[in-house]
Amino acid sequence: ALEAAVGSRLLGALQGMACDVSGDGSVSAFDAARILRHLAGALPRFPVAQACASDWLFVPAAAAPGGVPPLIQSGSCEPGFLDLTPLLGSVEGADFDAAIFGDCDLGDG
């Protein structure tokens, strides 16, 4: 997270959301400090996990029909979902990508 905050590492979209543990819409040194505090046991849960009521982030896969990505900003969280209304037949490619908040080492960067 700190490397991303100073511009020496590029993050993919899922990585960026997972590393933004403050939930303010960007990855900063503040997020890196919170990740370290969490790893040391001094921070039981990230603020974004509290706002989302989950330690996990689920994002509709790029090929998922009707996929709506999560919206996390300013301490609020709207989860990602698949909008399948009206459901008129079978659905293929309705997958999600998942990450645990604080994991900046996902394979999509």
Side-chain angles (χ1 to χ4, degrees):
L2 188 55
E3 289 174 335
V6 298
S8 65
R9 179 178 178 193
L10 294 176
L11 299 176
L14 185 60
Q15 286 175 318
M17 285 188 277
C19 289
D20 178 18
V21 297
S22 63
D24 66 359
S26 66
V27 178
S28 67
F30 184 66
D31 293 300
R34 285 188 176 229
I35 291 169
L36 289 173
R37 288 185 62 217
H38 179 73
L39 290 172
L43 181 65
R45 196 166 196 203
F46 295 121
V48 70
Q50 291 174 330
C52 292
S54 176
D55 293 324
W56 286 88
L57 171 68
F58 295 95
V59 179
V68 178
L71 178 61
I72 302 169
Q73 61 186 13
S74 303
S76 68
C77 179
E78 295 178 30
F81 63 94
L82 298 176
D83 185 1
L84 302 175
T85 54
L87 183 58
L88 301 174
S90 67
V91 177
E92 295 183 26
D95 294 324
F96 284 84
D97 294 320
I100 192 164
F101 286 115
D103 182 2
C104 301
D105 289 326
L106 302 168
D108 75 344

